Coordinates of all heavy atoms in Angstrom, one line a residue:
S1534 N 11.0 37.1 -24.7 CA 11.5 38.2 -25.4 C 11.5 38.0 -26.9 O 11.2 36.8 -27.4 CB 13.0 38.5 -25.0 OG 13.8 37.5 -25.5
F1535 N 11.7 39.0 -27.7 CA 11.7 38.8 -29.2 C 12.6 40.0 -29.7 O 12.9 40.9 -29.0 CB 10.3 38.8 -29.8 CG 9.5 40.1 -29.6 CD1 9.6 41.2 -30.4 CD2 8.6 40.1 -28.6 CE1 8.9 42.3 -30.2 CE2 7.8 41.2 -28.3 CZ 8.0 42.3 -29.1
E1536 N 13.0 39.8 -31.0 CA 13.8 40.8 -31.6 C 13.1 41.5 -32.8 O 12.3 40.9 -33.5 CB 15.1 40.2 -32.2 CG 16.0 39.7 -31.1 CD 17.2 39.0 -31.6 OE1 17.3 38.6 -32.9 OE2 18.2 38.9 -30.9
I1537 N 13.3 42.8 -32.9 CA 12.7 43.6 -34.0 C 13.9 44.3 -34.7 O 14.9 44.5 -34.1 CB 11.6 44.6 -33.6 CG1 12.1 45.6 -32.6 CG2 10.4 43.8 -33.0 CD1 11.2 46.7 -32.3
V1538 N 13.6 44.8 -35.9 CA 14.6 45.6 -36.6 C 14.0 46.9 -37.0 O 12.9 47.0 -37.6 CB 15.1 44.8 -37.9 CG1 16.0 45.7 -38.7 CG2 15.8 43.5 -37.5
I1539 N 14.7 48.0 -36.6 CA 14.3 49.3 -37.0 C 15.6 49.9 -37.6 O 16.4 50.4 -36.9 CB 13.7 50.2 -35.8 CG1 12.5 49.5 -35.2 CG2 13.4 51.6 -36.3 CD1 12.0 50.2 -33.9
N1540 N 15.6 49.8 -38.9 CA 16.8 50.2 -39.6 C 17.4 51.6 -39.2 O 18.6 51.7 -39.0 CB 16.6 50.2 -41.2 CG 16.5 48.8 -41.6 OD1 17.2 47.9 -41.2 ND2 15.7 48.6 -42.6
K1541 N 16.6 52.6 -39.1 CA 17.1 53.9 -38.8 C 17.6 54.1 -37.4 O 18.2 55.1 -37.1 CB 16.0 54.9 -39.1 CG 15.7 55.1 -40.6 CD 14.8 56.1 -40.9 CE 14.5 56.3 -42.4 NZ 13.5 57.3 -42.7
L1542 N 17.2 53.2 -36.5 CA 17.7 53.2 -35.1 C 18.9 52.4 -34.8 O 19.7 52.8 -34.0 CB 16.6 52.8 -34.1 CG 15.4 53.7 -34.0 CD1 14.5 53.2 -32.9 CD2 15.8 55.1 -33.7
N1543 N 19.1 51.3 -35.5 CA 20.2 50.4 -35.1 C 20.9 49.8 -36.3 O 21.4 48.7 -36.3 CB 19.6 49.3 -34.2 CG 20.7 48.7 -33.3 OD1 21.7 49.3 -33.0 ND2 20.4 47.5 -32.9
N1544 N 20.9 50.5 -37.4 CA 21.6 50.1 -38.7 C 21.2 48.7 -39.1 O 22.1 47.9 -39.5 CB 23.1 50.2 -38.5 CG 23.5 51.6 -38.2 OD1 23.0 52.6 -38.8 ND2 24.5 51.8 -37.3
G1545 N 20.0 48.3 -38.9 CA 19.5 47.0 -39.4 C 19.9 45.9 -38.4 O 19.5 44.7 -38.7
N1546 N 20.5 46.2 -37.3 CA 20.7 45.1 -36.3 C 19.5 44.9 -35.4 O 18.8 45.8 -35.1 CB 21.9 45.5 -35.4 CG 23.2 45.6 -36.2 OD1 23.5 44.8 -37.0 ND2 23.9 46.7 -36.0
P1547 N 19.3 43.6 -35.0 CA 18.1 43.3 -34.2 C 18.1 44.1 -32.8 O 19.2 44.3 -32.2 CB 18.2 41.8 -34.0 CG 19.2 41.3 -34.9 CD 20.1 42.5 -35.3
I1548 N 17.0 44.4 -32.4 CA 16.8 45.1 -31.1 C 16.0 44.1 -30.2 O 14.9 43.6 -30.6 CB 16.0 46.4 -31.2 CG1 16.7 47.4 -32.1 CG2 15.7 47.0 -29.8 CD1 15.9 48.5 -32.5
S1549 N 16.5 43.7 -29.1 CA 15.9 42.7 -28.2 C 14.9 43.4 -27.4 O 15.2 44.2 -26.6 CB 17.0 42.0 -27.3 OG 16.3 41.1 -26.5
M1550 N 13.6 42.9 -27.5 CA 12.5 43.5 -26.8 C 12.2 42.6 -25.6 O 11.9 41.4 -25.8 CB 11.3 43.6 -27.6 CG 11.5 44.5 -28.9 SD 11.8 46.2 -28.4 CE 10.3 46.7 -27.6
K1551 N 12.4 43.1 -24.4 CA 12.2 42.3 -23.1 C 10.8 42.5 -22.6 O 10.3 43.7 -22.5 CB 13.2 42.7 -22.1 CG 14.6 42.6 -22.6 CD 15.4 41.4 -22.1 CE 16.8 41.5 -22.5 NZ 17.3 40.5 -23.3
N1552 N 10.2 41.5 -22.1 CA 8.9 41.6 -21.5 C 9.0 42.1 -20.1 O 9.7 41.5 -19.3 CB 8.1 40.2 -21.5 CG 6.7 40.4 -20.9 OD1 6.5 40.4 -19.7 ND2 5.8 40.4 -21.8
I1553 N 8.4 43.3 -19.8 CA 8.6 43.8 -18.4 C 7.3 43.7 -17.6 O 7.3 44.0 -16.5 CB 9.1 45.3 -18.5 CG1 8.1 46.2 -19.2 CG2 10.5 45.4 -19.1 CD1 8.4 47.7 -19.1
S1554 N 6.2 43.3 -18.3 CA 4.9 43.1 -17.6 C 4.0 42.3 -18.5 O 4.0 42.5 -19.7 CB 4.2 44.5 -17.4 OG 2.9 44.3 -16.9
T1555 N 3.3 41.3 -17.9 CA 2.4 40.5 -18.7 C 1.0 41.1 -18.7 O 0.1 40.5 -19.3 CB 2.4 39.0 -18.1 OG1 2.0 39.1 -16.7 CG2 3.7 38.3 -18.3
D1556 N 0.8 42.2 -18.1 CA -0.5 42.9 -18.1 C -0.6 43.5 -19.5 O 0.3 44.1 -20.1 CB -0.5 44.0 -17.1 CG -0.6 43.5 -15.7 OD1 -1.0 42.4 -15.5 OD2 -0.1 44.2 -14.8
D1557 N -1.8 43.4 -20.1 CA -2.0 44.0 -21.4 C -3.1 45.1 -21.3 O -4.0 45.1 -22.1 CB -2.3 42.9 -22.5 CG -3.5 42.1 -22.2 OD1 -4.1 42.2 -21.1 OD2 -3.9 41.3 -23.0
Y1558 N -2.9 45.9 -20.4 CA -3.9 47.0 -20.1 C -3.7 48.1 -21.2 O -2.7 48.2 -21.8 CB -3.7 47.6 -18.7 CG -2.2 47.9 -18.4 CD1 -1.7 49.1 -18.7 CD2 -1.4 47.0 -17.8 CE1 -0.4 49.5 -18.5 CE2 -0.1 47.3 -17.5 CZ 0.5 48.5 -17.9 OH 1.7 48.8 -17.6
R1559 N -4.7 48.9 -21.3 CA -4.7 50.1 -22.2 C -3.7 51.1 -21.6 O -3.7 51.3 -20.5 CB -6.1 50.7 -22.4 CG -7.1 49.7 -22.8 CD -7.1 49.5 -24.3 NE -8.1 48.5 -24.6 CZ -8.1 47.9 -25.8 NH1 -7.2 48.3 -26.7 NH2 -9.0 47.0 -26.1
I1560 N -3.0 51.8 -22.5 CA -2.0 52.7 -22.1 C -1.9 53.8 -23.1 O -2.0 53.6 -24.3 CB -0.7 52.1 -21.8 CG1 0.3 53.0 -21.0 CG2 0.0 51.6 -23.0 CD1 1.5 52.3 -20.4
S1561 N -1.6 55.0 -22.6 CA -1.3 56.2 -23.5 C -0.3 57.0 -22.8 O -0.2 57.1 -21.6 CB -2.6 57.0 -23.7 OG -2.3 58.2 -24.4
F1562 N 0.6 57.6 -23.6 CA 1.6 58.5 -23.0 C 1.3 60.0 -23.3 O 2.1 60.9 -23.1 CB 3.0 58.2 -23.6 CG 3.5 56.8 -23.2 CD1 3.5 55.8 -24.1 CD2 3.9 56.6 -21.9 CE1 4.0 54.5 -23.7 CE2 4.4 55.4 -21.5 CZ 4.4 54.3 -22.4
G1563 N 0.1 60.3 -23.7 CA -0.3 61.7 -24.0 C -0.1 62.1 -25.4 O 0.2 61.3 -26.3
K1564 N -0.2 63.4 -25.7 CA -0.1 64.0 -27.0 C 1.2 64.7 -27.2 O 1.7 65.3 -26.3 CB -1.3 65.0 -27.2 CG -2.6 64.4 -27.1 CD -3.4 64.4 -28.4 CE -4.8 63.9 -28.1 NZ -5.1 62.8 -29.1
W1565 N 1.8 64.5 -28.4 CA 3.1 65.1 -28.6 C 3.0 65.8 -30.0 O 2.3 65.4 -30.9 CB 4.2 64.0 -28.8 CG 4.3 63.2 -27.5 CD1 3.6 62.1 -27.1 CD2 5.3 63.5 -26.4 NE1 4.0 61.7 -25.9 CE2 5.1 62.5 -25.4 CE3 6.2 64.4 -26.2 CZ2 5.8 62.4 -24.3 CZ3 7.0 64.4 -25.0 CH2 6.7 63.4 -24.1
D1566 N 3.7 66.9 -30.2 CA 3.8 67.7 -31.4 C 4.7 67.1 -32.4 O 4.6 67.5 -33.6 CB 4.1 69.1 -31.1 CG 3.0 69.8 -30.3 OD1 1.9 69.4 -30.3 OD2 3.4 70.8 -29.6
D1567 N 5.6 66.2 -32.0 CA 6.7 65.8 -32.9 C 6.5 64.3 -33.3 O 7.5 63.6 -33.7 CB 8.0 66.0 -32.4 CG 8.2 65.4 -31.0 OD1 7.3 64.8 -30.4 OD2 9.3 65.4 -30.5
V1568 N 5.3 63.8 -33.3 CA 5.1 62.3 -33.6 C 5.6 61.9 -35.0 O 6.2 60.9 -35.1 CB 3.6 62.0 -33.4 CG1 3.3 60.6 -33.8 CG2 3.2 62.2 -31.9
D1569 N 5.4 62.8 -36.0 CA 5.8 62.4 -37.3 C 7.3 62.2 -37.4 O 7.7 61.3 -38.2 CB 5.4 63.5 -38.3 CG 3.8 63.6 -38.5 OD1 3.2 62.5 -38.3 OD2 3.3 64.6 -38.9
K1570 N 8.1 62.9 -36.7 CA 9.5 62.7 -36.7 C 9.8 61.3 -36.2 O 10.7 60.6 -36.8 CB 10.2 63.7 -35.7 CG 11.6 63.5 -35.5 CD 12.1 64.5 -34.5 CE 13.2 64.0 -33.6 NZ 13.7 64.9 -32.6
Y1571 N 9.1 60.8 -35.2 CA 9.4 59.4 -34.7 C 8.7 58.4 -35.6 O 9.3 57.3 -35.8 CB 8.8 59.3 -33.3 CG 9.7 60.1 -32.3 CD1 9.5 61.4 -32.1 CD2 10.8 59.4 -31.7 CE1 10.3 62.1 -31.2 CE2 11.6 60.2 -30.8 CZ 11.3 61.5 -30.6 OH 12.1 62.2 -29.7
K1572 N 7.6 58.6 -36.2 CA 7.0 57.7 -37.2 C 7.9 57.5 -38.4 O 8.0 56.4 -38.9 CB 5.6 58.2 -37.7 CG 4.5 58.0 -36.7 CD 3.2 58.4 -37.3 CE 2.1 58.2 -36.2 NZ 0.8 58.5 -36.8
S1573 N 8.6 58.6 -38.8 CA 9.5 58.4 -39.9 C 10.7 57.5 -39.7 O 11.3 57.0 -40.6 CB 10.1 59.8 -40.4 OG 11.0 60.3 -39.4
L1574 N 11.0 57.2 -38.4 CA 12.0 56.2 -38.1 C 11.7 54.8 -38.6 O 12.5 54.0 -38.8 CB 12.3 56.2 -36.6 CG 12.9 57.4 -36.0 CD1 12.9 57.4 -34.5 CD2 14.3 57.7 -36.6
L1575 N 10.4 54.5 -38.9 CA 9.9 53.2 -39.3 C 9.9 53.1 -40.8 O 9.7 52.0 -41.4 CB 8.5 52.9 -38.8 CG 8.4 52.9 -37.3 CD1 6.9 52.6 -36.9 CD2 9.3 51.9 -36.6

Side-chain angles (χ1 to χ4, degrees):
S1534 69
F1535 59 85
E1536 293 180 340
I1537 62 170
V1538 174
I1539 302 175
N1540 287 324
K1541 291 184 178 179
L1542 289 187
N1543 205 25
N1544 299 321
N1546 296 315
I1548 300 167
S1549 180
M1550 300 298 294
K1551 307 257 187 244
N1552 185 281
I1553 61 169
S1554 171
T1555 56
D1556 294 330
D1557 57 355
Y1558 50 86
R1559 306 274 175 197
I1560 192 167
S1561 174
F1562 292 109
K1564 302 244 183 233
W1565 300 85
D1566 294 334
D1567 57 355
V1568 173
D1569 289 337
K1570 172 181 147 185
Y1571 288 87
K1572 283 185 178 182
S1573 72
L1574 294 171
L1575 300 180

